Amino acid sequence: MASASAAAGVTLLEAYMTPFHPRAAAIDALVRSGRLGDLRFARAAFTGVLERPDDHRWQPDMGGGALLDVGIYCVAPLLEAAGRPPVRVAAAASMAMSGVDASFSGWLDFGGGFTAAIECSFDAPERQSLELVGTEAAVLVDRAFTPGPEDVAFTLRGRDGRLRKLSPAAPIPTGP
């Protein structure tokens, strides 16, 4: 694609903006700060109903399937949080008649007691969520993967169960 774009004199762009959104940077900073403690669990889900049968995402020769299309949104923040690749993985998929995965679930073991689960689908109700759970706190993010300009807040659940709404402009809390 890059060489075809260069030959045509056009710029190749990818619409994957989530890691560049201010909320993603704030969550990355929160994880790096150690405020969550040692990471133990994570869950990421990006599902929705894709009802257009002629959509390229249903075509194997076009790189179709839920994992290849929306799975990156689930996997990328987990890799960022872990700071390393998984040491073990397991997965299952429900296949569409076209041969692509309509729904996919996966499990990743990052070692050190940190595991994660992902769900991505073209045939399940709309859901976008990210949860990172450490020994001291958990981050909960709704509409995690297609945030608009107003989608900057996320929730921090402390060890005591108390919830705090945070945003990129808010300082990272240091106490319970």
Side-chain angles (χ1 to χ4, degrees):
M1 288 193 308
S3 59
S5 297
V10 296
T11 302
L12 175 65
L13 298 175
E14 166 59 64
Y16 179 54
M17 62 75 168
T18 306
F20 306 102
H21 191 277
R23 181 173 62 188
I27 292 168
D28 291 345
L30 180 65
V31 171
R32 283 191 310 276
S33 78
R35 177 65 182 91
L36 300 182
D38 295 329
L39 292 176
R40 291 293 178 243
F41 312 105
R43 286 181 254 335
F46 194 164
T47 65
V49 178
L50 181 58
E51 294 181 351
R52 296 183 309 273
D54 59 341
D55 191 284
H56 70 277
R57 290 171 282 192
W58 290 119
Q59 299 175 21
D61 58 336
M62 296 291 291
L67 178 62
L68 287 180
D69 188 59
V70 294
I72 184 64
Y73 294 90
C74 297
V75 174
L78 304 179
L79 291 169
E80 181 69 29
R84 59 191 179 272
V87 295
R88 290 187 310 155
V89 297
S94 172
M95 305 303 285
M97 299 265 307
S98 66
V100 302
D101 58 305
S103 291
F104 180 94
S105 62
W107 177 81
L108 300 93
D109 178 356
F110 289 100
F114 178 40
T115 60
I118 67 165
E119 302 167 20
C120 46
S121 180
F122 292 154
D123 65 0
E126 171 72 28
R127 293 169 40 240
Q128 291 187 38
S129 61
L130 173 64
E131 183 177 14
L132 299 168
V133 181
T135 54
E136 298 300 319
V139 171
L140 314 164
V141 186
D142 192 37
R143 193 174 154 87
F145 308 119
T146 58
E150 70 284 357
D151 297 312
V152 295
F154 55 95
T155 303
L156 181 70
R157 180 184 298 274
R159 193 174 174 101
D160 61 1
R162 193 170 69 181
L163 297 176
R164 293 183 185 175
K165 280 282 191 203
L166 301 178
S167 68
I172 296 170
T174 56

